[in-house]
Each structure stands twice: as C-alpha cells, then as structure tokens.
Amino acid sequence: MRLVHLDLKGAAPRVSYLEQVFPFLSQLGANGILIEYEDMFPFKGELEVLRSPFAYSEEDIERIQQLAEQHKLEVVPLVQTFGHVEFILKHEKYQHLREVERFPNSFNPHVPNTLALLKSVLAQVIEKHRRSTWIHIGADEVFHLGEGMDSKNWMSRNKGDVGTMFLKHIKEVLGFLAAQYWGLRVLMWDDMLRKISVGALRGEGAGTAVMSRVSPGVPAVPVHVAALARVMPVWFASAFKGTTGPAQTWTPLSYHLKNHLSWLKVMQALPRLAPLRFQGIVLTGWQRYDHYSVLCELLPVSIPSLAICLQTLVNGGFTEEAKRKVLDVLGLESVQLEQSTCEGRGTFPGVEIYHMVEQVNGHLRESILKALEEESAIKGWFSPYHRKHHFGNPRNMESFGSKVLKLHEDWESFVRDLRAQLERVYFPDTVEEWMEENINPSLDQLRDLVRDYR
C-alpha cells in the first residue's frame, strides 16, 4: 500500500480542492490516504469544543470518502491517542488530563477520564468511517511521559518504567478497539516502542502494525525495524514535505527524493529477513510540527515533490519512465531536482499557488530590501528621523518616489491575486495565517514607507 498523508492540523484544503487532487494521487500511484483530522473533524455533543470554526461537516467527511472510493484510494483515519494532543488539552475543559500541568502535549494515562475521552473521540471518528478497514492511533512523541506526579507514583509502586507505562495505555486503547470494532486493523508510529524490549512486546500488539519513519541513509534494515518485525507487521513512513524546518515554505525536491531512494534500498534488503512482513509505506506531508507551530509548505507547493516520490516508489527509482510520467501528469516541461524548480506552466491542482509562492520565496523580501536599503536618496533624505518628524526636501523625495510607488503597487496587485487563489483552496484562517507569516513582514515595511511618503 502507498498512502499519502493529509495532515489537517493546518492548512486543511477545501473539499473542492480534494476533488481535483484525488484523481492525481491515483494516477501517480497512490492507493490510499492517511487523514489526520485533528480539529477539522465535526465532533459532536460533549466533544464539540474540539472543532475548529472551519471544521469539515459530516457531509464533507462523506464526500471525501466517496471521492476516495471513486479513485480507488483506501481511507485510513488517524487519531492521536497519547502524545500530540494539544488540540484537545489546550481547552480548559480538558486541562486536568495533562501529564504535566504546564504542557498541553500529552495525556496523563492514570486518570480514568483520559481513556473515557479517547473512547468517545475514537467512536465518533470510526462511526463516520465505516468503510475503513484500518485506523491509525498515532502514539508518537509522548513528550514528558513519566514526569507527572501520577506517573512517578505509578512507576515507584509497580517498579515500572516509562516503556511499561506507555505499553499499558496503548493496550487499553487497543483493547477498546478490538472489543468494539471487530476486524479493524490498527497502525501506530514506532518511535516510543523502540524503548521497549522485544520480549515485552511479544504478543501484546496482536493485530497491530507499526510504522517506522526513521530516515535511513544506508542500504540496510534499521536495527529497531528488524527487532520490531519479529513481533508485528511493519510499515515504513517517508516524507514528501514538512520535515526540513517548521517554517519551510518551499519543498526541497532532491532531499525528499533521496529519502525515498533510501527506503527503496531498505525494502530491497528485506527478503534476506524472512520474518519481516512489509505491508506498505506512508508518504507523510506534515503541515505543522505540532498544533502550535507555524505552517510548513502548502500542499499545492509540494505536489511536484509528491509526484516524484510516488513515481519513484512505483518504478523502484526515479527512472526515465518515472520522470516522464511526472512531467506528463503535472503538465510540466522539466524538473530541476537540485534547484527544486519546475519549468512549464503546469496543469496540476493549485499550480497558480505554486508559481506565486515561488515568486514570494525568490523575490518579495529581496526586492523590497533592495529598494529600501540601496536607494541613497531614501537613506539620505527620507530616513527614520525625517519620517518621524514629518519633513523632507520634495526635490529629493521625488527622485525615489515613483520607483517606490510602482514597486508597492506591483506587489499589492500580486498579493491580491495570490489571496484570491489561496481562498479558492483554503479556509480564511489559513489564508490570514499564511499572509501574516510570509507576506506582511516584508510588505509592511514598504507599506509604511509609502504611507509616510504620501
């Protein structure tokens, strides 16, 4: 299986955009999607507080699944059940369930209400995904586990450690799923399991598959993967975006291609390890590092990377055939891997955003700095001092005025177009956040100068 990860804890696309994207995923070789809803799920009743104001409706969730079915994409919902639960624990209503009172990252597994809440969350999500045969329970990066008083007391009473405690909570979650949803297969991340001995894991994860997302650089099976594979099936997780910096706006193509080539080497080494049952790979596309961080690359910006990565997996390398297919499906003329650029107008969904973000990335800050820093008339006759005290020589001001006004008008016009394109794909909160993070820090300097000049 080749699943594409849709991380909705930031920049969740409108369903109308997914309608355009799903056929592309299918064409490029994906056969499933891993959907991390977080606050975009239409939680009801007691859980309604968890919903974003722009959360998908129940009809949207149904439409997403119909679209997936239409394009032969298996849907796997992802619900975090231990760490990365800031979207729950940030609310006053659930603060008492934190492992460490100050931090909203992880659940306290010793409070009975934790499991009760998780059962409600899982039940609502599974109820709306009756066609799904898999669910992903997250369980990665349970920061600060073992630091809360309840955990310290539990470990001293039971002569246990953080690993045992982690396993106990996960077994309770798995027990609930096995009892309530017969036949539903479970996936989880493997990083917390690496701290636990194979002996302790044996028999515990019956029916559970682990997903390894280490980035191997050598053509050998990572040691912990081989160890985990003795007790449970293994999946791999690569990345097509969202792993090269929390504020990354442009996707580095060769970096992500290398990540997939490394995983292919690992897969080729698998037959030598008879017990290793490899079931699939998830191409992760993180949209935020956690619920509180800024946005990483937008989905339209990373579609060329996703296409390259999928076709690399399908063809066993980025062969000529893979390259031809990528260019053909995306409507591009060529791809420059090292420069992370594409030539050609492109026909893929959101290609306008792709080109406009490229402009922002390459020229916005640079062109404004050049105008403000290198123009000697501005430095000499329109300094912060002149602007503060409202005086200047019109003769000198006119020498730079028309140039600055034109630059300002050009960028404002460009930004209006960009906003319109973003609004077609994203909800207002995403558009505002992206503009504030990536446009305003540079453009506001120019806006302020123009205001003072006028």
Side-chain angles (χ1 to χ4, degrees):
M1 291 176 78
R2 289 181 290 269
L3 307 188
V4 172
H5 174 221
L6 294 178
D7 178 16
L8 304 183
K9 63 177 173 280
R14 294 177 185 273
V15 176
S16 54
Y17 183 66
L18 296 178
E19 283 177 2
Q20 301 169 55
V21 170
F22 282 13
F24 270 81
L25 298 184
S26 201
Q27 263 182 294
L28 289 162
N31 49 23
I33 45 171
L34 176 69
I35 309 185
E36 187 164 356
Y37 285 108
E38 219 179 68
D39 58 357
M40 285 303 291
F41 188 81
F43 290 108
K44 290 189 303 194
E46 277 289 290
L47 302 178
E48 199 167 334
V49 67
L50 302 180
R51 291 169 67 151
S52 153
F54 300 100
Y56 292 144
S57 65
E58 291 185 19
E59 293 71 29
D60 289 337
I61 301 290
E62 180 54 32
R63 178 75 185 124
I64 288 169
Q65 290 174 92
Q66 285 171 358
L67 285 168
E69 209 168 346
Q70 203 178 321
H71 298 288
K72 299 184 172 52
L73 298 168
E74 171 106 21
V75 176
V76 180
L78 189 158
V79 177
Q80 285 286 3
T81 54
F82 212 163
H84 282 298
V85 280
E86 298 94 340
F87 84 103
I88 297 175
L89 298 182
K90 71 177 183 181
H91 295 285
E92 203 176 332
K93 181 176 180 178
Y94 298 116
Q95 275 180 12
H96 65 290
L97 302 181
R98 295 175 176 187
E99 167 70 356
V100 174
E101 198 181 337
R102 282 170 53 222
F103 305 133
N105 304 70
S106 309
F107 278 126
N108 174 347
H110 312 286
V111 185
N113 290 359
T114 292
L115 195 61
L117 171 66
L118 277 174
K119 287 178 178 178
S120 304
V121 170
L122 286 162
Q124 288 200 19
V125 173
I126 294 168
E127 192 51 49
K128 292 281 169 246
H129 291 83
R130 283 306 196 171
R131 302 179 190 72
S132 295
T133 56
W134 292 88
I135 186 159
H136 196 306
I137 60 166
D140 60 321
E141 297 182 337
V142 188
F143 298 133
H144 310 292
L145 183 60
E147 292 174 24
M149 272 323 294
D150 288 348
S151 287
K152 285 176 177 169
N153 292 337
W154 186 90
M155 287 189 288
S156 92
R157 276 199 316 273
N158 296 277
K159 296 187 172 48
D161 58 13
V162 170
T164 335
M165 204 160 53
F166 172 81
L167 209 51
K168 178 179 177 291
H169 176 73
I170 292 302
K171 278 165 66 179
E172 287 171 342
V173 171
L174 295 175
F176 164 71
L177 291 170
Q180 292 297 314
Y181 305 101
W182 190 85
L184 186 65
R185 290 172 291 178
V186 182
L187 280 163
M188 64 184 285
W189 301 120
D190 75 329
D191 55 289
M192 296 297 290
L193 295 175
R194 295 176 208 172
K195 301 168 185 170
I196 302 168
S197 72
V198 169
L201 288 173
R202 203 173 292 282
E204 299 294 9
T208 308
V210 294
M211 192 171 278
S212 181
R213 59 174 182 199
V214 67
S215 301
V218 286
V221 177
V223 175
H224 75 275
V225 174
L228 285 171
R230 291 187 210 133
V231 290
M232 48 186 73
V234 169
W235 287 54
F236 295 144
S238 56
F240 69 92
K241 79 178 189 80
T243 56
T244 52
Q248 183 78 18
T249 52
W250 196 249
T251 312
L253 297 179
S254 65
Y255 175 91
H256 291 289
L257 172 58
K258 282 171 190 159
N259 179 233
H260 286 79
L261 293 173
S262 292
W263 274 122
L264 281 172
K265 285 177 181 171
V266 170
M267 290 173 207
Q268 283 151 13
L270 293 187
R272 297 200 295 275
L273 288 153
L276 201 56
R277 290 162 291 158
F278 168 64
Q279 296 188 322
I281 187 164
V282 167
L283 294 87
T284 62
W286 305 101
Q287 194 52 76
R288 294 190 198 279
Y289 276 32
D290 72 23
H291 186 79
Y292 283 85
S293 68
V294 297
L295 295 168
C296 308
E297 311 102 296
L298 296 172
L299 185 55
V301 167
S302 56
I303 281 188
S305 172
L306 176 55
I308 288 165
C309 296
L310 273 170
Q311 275 297 299
T312 296
L313 293 174
V314 169
N315 290 280
F318 194 48
T319 59
E320 277 308 310
E321 191 181 339
K323 194 173 183 178
R324 244 194 337 271
K325 176 87 171 182
V326 167
L327 297 176
D328 185 40
V329 173
L330 301 188
L332 294 167
E333 285 161 28
S334 68
V335 169
Q336 307 303 322
L337 292 172
E338 292 306 324
Q339 290 78 36
S340 299
T341 55
C342 299
E343 271 72 58
R345 288 184 59 183
T347 52
F348 58 90
V351 69
E352 300 86 358
I353 292 173
Y354 174 89
H355 288 307
M356 294 176 104
V357 172
E358 189 172 24
Q359 286 293 311
V360 170
N361 223 37
H363 304 297
L364 176 67
R365 187 162 172 266
E366 189 185 296
S367 71
I368 290 172
L369 275 180
K370 192 174 176 197
L372 303 190
E373 298 292 324
E374 292 179 15
E375 178 62 69
S376 65
I378 291 180
K379 295 189 106 160
W381 282 271
F382 203 54
S383 71
Y385 184 80
H386 290 91
R387 290 165 67 182
K388 182 180 175 184
H389 295 285
H390 302 279
F391 79 101
N393 186 332
R395 177 180 174 275
N396 300 83
M397 285 174 67
E398 282 172 13
S399 71
F400 67 79
S402 57
K403 201 192 303 182
V404 165
L405 290 174
K406 179 162 185 352
L407 181 68
H408 174 249
E409 184 40 50
D410 288 350
W411 275 119
E412 290 291 11
S413 164
F414 174 88
V415 165
R416 282 193 294 275
D417 292 346
L418 173 57
R419 180 182 281 276
Q421 291 297 341
L422 287 170
E423 283 169 351
R424 289 170 60 185
V425 173
Y426 294 111
F427 298 100
D429 57 339
T430 298
V431 178
E432 283 315 314
E433 181 181 351
W434 200 88
M435 290 297 206
E436 285 197 31
E437 288 287 343
N438 299 288
I439 300 289
N440 296 356
S442 296
L443 197 48
D444 281 352
Q445 288 177 280
L446 185 58
R447 286 166 173 158
D448 290 349
L449 184 103
V450 166
R451 183 199 61 219
D452 292 352
Y453 173 84
R454 285 189 170 133

